[in-house]
Amino acid sequence: MFKIGDFSRLTKVSVKALRYYDELELLRPIKVDEWTGYRYYSASQLPRLNKIITLKDLGFTLNQIVNMVDSDLSVEVLTSMLSSRKKELEETIKLEHEKLRKIEYLLSSLSKEEDITMLNHDVIIKKVEPLPIASIRDIIPSYSQQQHLWMEVAEYLQKENIKILPPCLVIYYDPGFKESQVDIEVAEHVNQTAAGNGRVTFRTLEAVEDMACIVHKGSYETIYKSYGIIMKWIEDNGYKVTGPNRELYLEGEWSVSTPEEYITEIQIPVQK
Amino acid sequence: MFKIGDFSRLTKVSVKALRYYDELELLRPIKVDEWTGYRYYSASQLPRLNKIITLKDLGFTLNQIVNMVDSDLSVEVLTSMLSSRKKELEETIKLEHEKLRKIEYLLSSLSKEEDITMLNHDVIIKKVEPLPIASIRDIIPSYSQQQHLWMEVAEYLQKENIKILPPCLVIYYDPGFKESQVDIEVAEHVNQTAAGNGRVTFRTLEAVEDMACIVHKGSYETIYKSYGIIMKWIEDNGYKVTGPNRELYLEGEWSVSTPEEYITEIQIPVQK
DNA sequence: TTGCTCCTCACGTCACGTGAGGTGGC
DNA sequence: TTGCTCCTCACGTCACGTGAGGTGGC
């Protein structure tokens, strides 16, 4: 029989941990003195404790371990628990490798660039939810002539008394960047639907699991720079573009006074 | 300007997280309504939030991030932070691989063995601290004739009035297992020192970083089985033995009544 | 008016670590 | 007797999630 301190030294498990395992009923002392509350452990508990430590080192939680050491589980159950832990581990290793790669990418761009602006025009991958919209798709002579499409949508929605929610956006369908005859869809985010009028239609924009996003600040005249950055990032990080890109207008002429204050988010669906 | 819900949807960052970042002064709303307490965010805060998310995804803590986004840090500082994070990541990846390997080992032994006893005679690696001992090293005709060495040590310690602490142990110095002429050191754990008498000497047993350990339950006659298991484990897991092995007697004739209750820990120093 | 959104507590998570304040054993 | 070991609270960790209970805005 060992007092908790001796048992702790013997096993290299902290006194506090032993008391915690006692509390969880994971490893009760063989005897607790009624008057002093002193815990006494036996060497015969070592195999159990070793099992606990082994399982803990493999990444199981103490609650899982309670079940694993208490019930005598069959080989099948144990196998499946180990297998699923194995899958988890493989998953986290993959994710950690991803992080490592991103850090290396950041480090390499840091050594090449002059300042830290890199982190200021940062590309991120996120999941985008489905979005109910009212929109018009059309082919227009140039990017700068989309104004009338917006007005058409706005007029219809006002007539139907449907509220517009942020953000508004456009979707570009052309397979490359085009100067003229642009295939474009302008869309307002709404939370009701209506019949439409042949021009304006209602639908739900599909969710995108991996959306590469970058925030562009300032006038639309310089937006090509942000496109340059995000396209390079997509290439450097081994992604492929899988669909039409979106532009979300977060701050524009309707909300701020100068083009320098415009804020636009470019979204490009991608895949590894 | 967006209310917190809109901003949350836009950024895919939970409302609770945004409130938490506010509290940490990591990302304050541009405006808080004095009467309602409503938080209002601006799209111009997106780059900052993206920076936060990027850094968080790389595994930095929010406290680290506070410093990284608030101060404009130099390229050098940022580089060193990223590098040290990179080292951490490499380390954790190594550890996760270790776990994976151990799980695969367990799975393979599970599929070969009949039951789950495997987990009951588990080998673990732990760090062993230095241990002050009083000991006699001698060459004896056979394992079973160590009794007089123990008595010699005990007599001396009693004479000097030095207390014995658990555990007692022996160290085997022979490079292989020998039937006769065994080079052995029997040792008691003590917390004081004395001159010794030519036979009994005092020293501190060195710490061992990686000690492979297994607990043997029962009579010494079956201890060869535990040695078999631990040696196979050491081989299978790519370790090499780097020094003399120890046997710690945790429960023995002095504390329990039958050999079935004896408990012995075998310790073998190893290295990858 | 109703439902939706926002607010502020307050508690829970996970596996203990770190004192505070007090007592038992040699 | 003194110092060492043990005890039980109680709080902290980290980044929020999950209600509870209440209010503002359309």
Side-chain angles (χ1 to χ4, degrees):
Chain A
M1 284 214 316
F2 304 93
K3 283 198 288 182
I4 197 167
D6 294 330
F7 200 61
S8 164
R9 237 159 290 141
L10 198 63
T11 58
K12 303 266 96 202
V13 175
S14 81
V15 168
K16 192 68 230 261
L18 289 172
R19 287 206 268 254
Y20 187 55
Y21 298 162
D22 181 9
E23 193 187 323
L24 291 188
E25 310 193 15
L26 188 54
L27 184 81
R28 323 292 311 253
I30 49 160
K31 189 190 135 193
V32 177
D33 187 292
E34 222 180 310
W35 298 108
T36 65
Y38 276 33
R39 291 170 179 82
Y40 293 95
Y41 292 87
S42 149
S44 64
Q45 298 181 287
L46 284 173
R48 187 181 172 90
L49 183 54
N50 282 343
K51 220 192 284 189
I52 293 168
I53 300 302
T54 303
L55 260 16
K56 202 166 78 75
D57 284 348
L58 293 179
F60 289 99
T61 69
L62 293 187
N63 276 325
Q64 291 174 312
I65 296 174
V66 168
N67 297 322
M68 298 175 84
V69 292
D70 264 356
S71 58
D72 279 313
L73 7 83
S74 64
V75 180
E76 289 80 40
V77 176
L78 192 58
T79 302
S80 85
M81 294 189 82
L82 287 173
S83 301
S84 82
R85 185 78 250 278
K86 186 182 162 192
K87 270 186 206 144
E88 276 176 38
L89 265 176
E90 285 165 346
E91 191 56 30
T92 62
I93 288 177
K94 239 178 62 186
L95 290 177
E96 302 289 292
H97 267 129
E98 265 302 291
K99 290 183 192 175
L100 199 57
R101 235 188 24 66
K102 283 181 196 163
I103 285 194
E104 280 162 356
Y105 178 68
L106 279 179
L107 278 171
S108 76
S109 25
L110 259 185
S111 65
K112 273 179 284 174
E113 308 208 6
E114 289 307 303
D115 62 59
I116 330 172
T117 49
M118 165 212 69
L119 266 177
N120 290 328
H121 44 60
D122 211 26
V123 178
I124 60 171
I125 295 282
K126 65 185 176 193
K127 184 182 174 191
V128 168
E129 299 293 325
L131 192 75
I133 55 169
S135 68
I136 296 180
R137 179 167 172 180
D138 205 349
I139 293 178
I140 55 173
S142 90
Y143 290 116
S144 48
Q145 289 169 48
Q146 42 177 276
Q147 193 60 29
H148 68 281
L149 296 178
W150 289 108
M151 291 180 59
E152 259 188 86
V153 174
E155 270 166 30
Y156 178 81
L157 292 176
Q158 189 159 27
K159 193 171 57 115
E160 298 287 330
N161 205 20
I162 293 175
K163 259 197 310 184
I164 293 174
L165 304 168
C168 62
L169 64 150
V170 312
I171 305 156
Y172 295 105
Y173 288 97
D174 291 310
F177 293 102
K178 287 175 77 176
E179 285 292 323
S180 59
Q181 297 301 98
V182 187
D183 188 355
I184 193 178
E185 181 170 14
V186 311
E188 294 283 3
H189 176 203
V190 293
N191 60 3
Q192 321 167 36
T193 184
N197 62 1
R199 290 281 289 170
V200 177
T201 59
F202 289 80
R203 65 184 185 103
T204 295
L205 211 50
E206 71 277 10
V208 174
E209 200 55 42
D210 291 324
M211 187 72 102
C213 305
I214 189 170
V215 173
H216 174 71
K217 293 167 89 168
S219 144
Y220 305 129
E221 287 172 23
T222 56
I223 205 166
Y224 71 92
K225 292 186 184 171
S226 294
Y227 270 103
I229 292 164
I230 194 172
M231 293 310 292
K232 178 170 185 325
W233 186 95
I234 288 171
E235 229 182 87
D236 286 351
N237 288 275
Y239 284 97
K240 279 185 321 188
V241 176
T242 59
N245 61 297
R246 308 175 185 179
E247 275 176 18
L248 278 64
Y249 304 108
L250 305 173
E251 306 281 3
E253 42 175 356
W254 67 88
S255 63
V256 294
S257 48
T258 71
E260 280 69 47
E261 297 172 82
Y262 290 2
I263 293 180
T264 309
E265 181 169 338
I266 301 169
Q267 298 188 333
I268 305 182
V270 294
Q271 226 176 17
K272 272 281 177 189
Chain B
M1 285 214 317
F2 304 93
K3 284 198 286 183
I4 198 167
D6 293 330
F7 200 62
S8 164
R9 236 160 289 140
L10 199 62
T11 58
K12 303 268 94 200
V13 175
S14 80
V15 169
K16 193 67 228 264
L18 289 173
R19 287 207 267 254
Y20 187 55
Y21 298 163
D22 181 9
E23 194 187 322
L24 291 187
E25 308 192 17
L26 187 54
L27 184 82
R28 321 295 309 256
I30 49 160
K31 190 191 134 190
V32 176
D33 187 292
E34 220 180 313
W35 298 108
T36 65
Y38 275 32
R39 292 170 179 81
Y40 293 94
Y41 292 86
S42 151
S44 65
Q45 299 181 286
L46 284 173
R48 187 183 172 90
L49 183 53
N50 282 342
K51 219 192 285 188
I52 292 168
I53 300 303
T54 303
L55 260 16
K56 202 167 77 74
D57 285 347
L58 293 178
F60 290 99
T61 69
L62 293 188
N63 276 324
Q64 290 174 311
I65 296 175
V66 169
N67 297 322
M68 298 174 84
V69 291
D70 265 356
S71 58
D72 279 313
L73 6 85
S74 64
V75 180
E76 290 79 41
V77 176
L78 192 59
T79 302
S80 84
M81 295 188 82
L82 287 173
S83 301
S84 81
R85 185 79 251 278
K86 187 183 159 191
K87 270 185 205 141
E88 278 176 38
L89 266 176
E90 285 165 346
E91 191 55 29
T92 62
I93 289 177
K94 239 177 63 187
L95 291 177
E96 301 290 293
H97 267 129
E98 264 304 291
K99 290 182 191 175
L100 199 57
R101 236 189 22 68
K102 283 180 195 163
I103 286 193
E104 281 163 356
Y105 178 68
L106 280 179
L107 279 170
S108 75
S109 24
L110 259 186
S111 65
K112 270 177 287 176
E113 309 208 6
E114 289 307 304
D115 62 59
I116 332 174
T117 50
M118 165 211 68
L119 266 178
N120 290 329
H121 43 61
D122 211 26
V123 178
I124 61 170
I125 295 283
K126 65 185 178 193
K127 186 183 172 189
V128 168
E129 300 292 325
L131 193 76
I133 55 169
S135 69
I136 295 179
R137 179 170 172 178
D138 205 350
I139 292 177
I140 56 173
S142 90
Y143 289 116
S144 49
Q145 290 169 48
Q146 40 177 280
Q147 193 60 29
H148 68 282
L149 295 179
W150 288 109
M151 292 179 59
E152 259 187 85
V153 175
E155 272 166 29
Y156 178 80
L157 292 176
Q158 190 159 27
K159 192 171 57 113
E160 297 287 328
N161 204 22
I162 293 175
K163 257 199 310 186
I164 293 174
L165 304 168
C168 62
L169 64 152
V170 311
I171 306 158
Y172 294 106
Y173 288 96
D174 290 311
F177 294 102
K178 287 174 79 173
E179 286 292 325
S180 60
Q181 297 300 100
V182 186
D183 187 354
I184 194 178
E185 181 171 10
V186 311
E188 294 283 4
H189 175 202
V190 293
N191 60 1
Q192 321 167 36
T193 184
N197 62 2
R199 291 280 289 170
V200 179
T201 59
F202 288 81
R203 66 185 184 102
T204 296
L205 211 50
E206 71 277 10
V208 174
E209 200 54 43
D210 290 325
M211 188 72 103
C213 304
I214 190 169
V215 173
H216 174 73
K217 293 167 88 166
S219 144
Y220 304 130
E221 287 173 23
T222 56
I223 204 166
Y224 71 92
K225 292 185 185 173
S226 294
Y227 269 104
I229 292 164
I230 194 172
M231 292 312 290
K232 178 168 185 327
W233 187 95
I234 288 171
E235 228 181 86
D236 286 351
N237 287 276
Y239 284 98
K240 278 186 324 192
V241 177
T242 60
N245 61 298
R246 310 176 184 178
E247 276 176 18
L248 277 64
Y249 304 108
L250 305 173
E251 306 281 4
E253 44 176 352
W254 67 90
S255 64
V256 293
S257 49
T258 71
E260 280 69 46
E261 296 172 83
Y262 290 1
I263 293 180
T264 309
E265 180 169 338
I266 300 170
Q267 298 188 332
I268 305 182
V270 293
Q271 226 177 17
K272 272 277 176 188

